[in-house]
Amino acid sequence: MRLIIAEKPSLARAIANALPASPRQEEGALVAGDTVVTWCLGHLLEQAPPDAYDPALKTWRLDSLPILPERWKLMPRPKARSQLAVIRRLLKRADQVVHAGDPDREGQLLVQEVIEHLGWKRDVARLLVSDLNPPAVKHALERLEDNRRYEPLYRAAQARARADWLYGINLTRAWT
């Protein structure tokens, strides 16, 4: 089975409608022949809070700053757990995974962090859809790329997210 992970439901519907087989709705996914299209709902994962690294960091203390994680952790967003479970279940059945995040830094991060968090180790293809009309989506489906080509975009988004976390946590605690 080919699994396409879109950034949002509207993109997933556009992709599923562009496939040769008519899609049918399942829980958290659209099935069209041997292709399943699922989606993220914005960020399914978020940076772990400081106390996930060390329970002592739950208390705000000036002498515990700066907080600098050695190994970064992501946690499922509470409202996203069910969709993350859908993607986890589908990944276990997949032979091929296609990343269909928006063609920007944040879109690359959103889907790729889910793929990595859920432990997919095989190759990933990249689907770049910039227009949701059916001919444009069909055209994009015919031109899948290797997702490794977009690794620098992912790393840039990841660096920005981590810098935001470091800045926000440390400065907020320092000034409070």
Side-chain angles (χ1 to χ4, degrees):
M1 174 208 30
R2 175 173 67 165
L3 176 62
I4 300 175
I5 305 172
E7 183 170 336
K8 50 191 161 254
S10 59
L11 178 58
R13 279 190 298 280
I15 294 167
N17 289 332
L19 295 169
S22 295
R24 63 179 162 69
Q25 179 81 40
E26 283 189 0
E27 180 192 355
L30 297 163
V31 179
D34 67 342
T35 300
V36 177
V37 186
T38 189
W39 51 84
C40 297
L41 302 163
H43 286 276
L44 297 181
L45 302 166
E46 61 189 1
Q47 296 289 336
D51 58 316
Y53 296 98
D54 181 352
L57 294 174
K58 190 167 186 87
T59 304
W60 291 30
R61 296 174 39 130
L62 197 56
D63 63 352
S64 67
L65 299 179
I67 300 169
L68 302 167
E70 286 183 35
R71 212 165 152 223
W72 290 88
K73 296 179 183 180
L74 293 172
M75 298 175 61
R77 286 170 119 41
K79 293 182 178 180
R81 290 184 192 278
S82 62
Q83 187 61 21
L84 200 58
V86 167
I87 298 171
R88 177 181 283 113
R89 178 179 46 82
L90 293 170
L91 274 173
K92 288 179 182 176
R93 295 182 16 224
D95 300 316
Q96 178 189 15
V97 171
V98 179
H99 178 312
D102 286 353
D104 58 21
R105 188 173 67 182
E106 206 61 21
Q108 188 67 33
L109 176 71
L110 258 160
V111 176
Q112 191 162 338
E113 70 184 4
V114 168
I115 292 168
E116 289 184 6
H117 180 77
L118 295 177
W120 180 264
K121 301 288 186 215
R122 293 184 271 167
D123 289 341
V124 176
R126 185 65 164 99
L127 173 62
L128 296 166
V129 177
S130 55
D131 182 345
L132 298 185
N133 74 56
V137 177
K138 285 179 185 176
H139 183 74
L141 282 163
E142 294 168 358
R143 288 171 175 62
L144 295 178
E145 297 184 48
D146 186 335
N147 191 53
R148 285 180 290 225
R149 180 173 179 209
Y150 297 90
E151 185 74 15
L153 195 60
Y154 171 59
R155 294 290 170 215
Q158 189 179 56
R160 190 236 2 108
R162 290 175 177 178
D164 286 353
W165 187 94
L166 289 168
Y167 184 82
I169 293 293
N170 288 295
L171 256 54
T172 299
R173 288 184 176 207
W175 284 100
T176 304

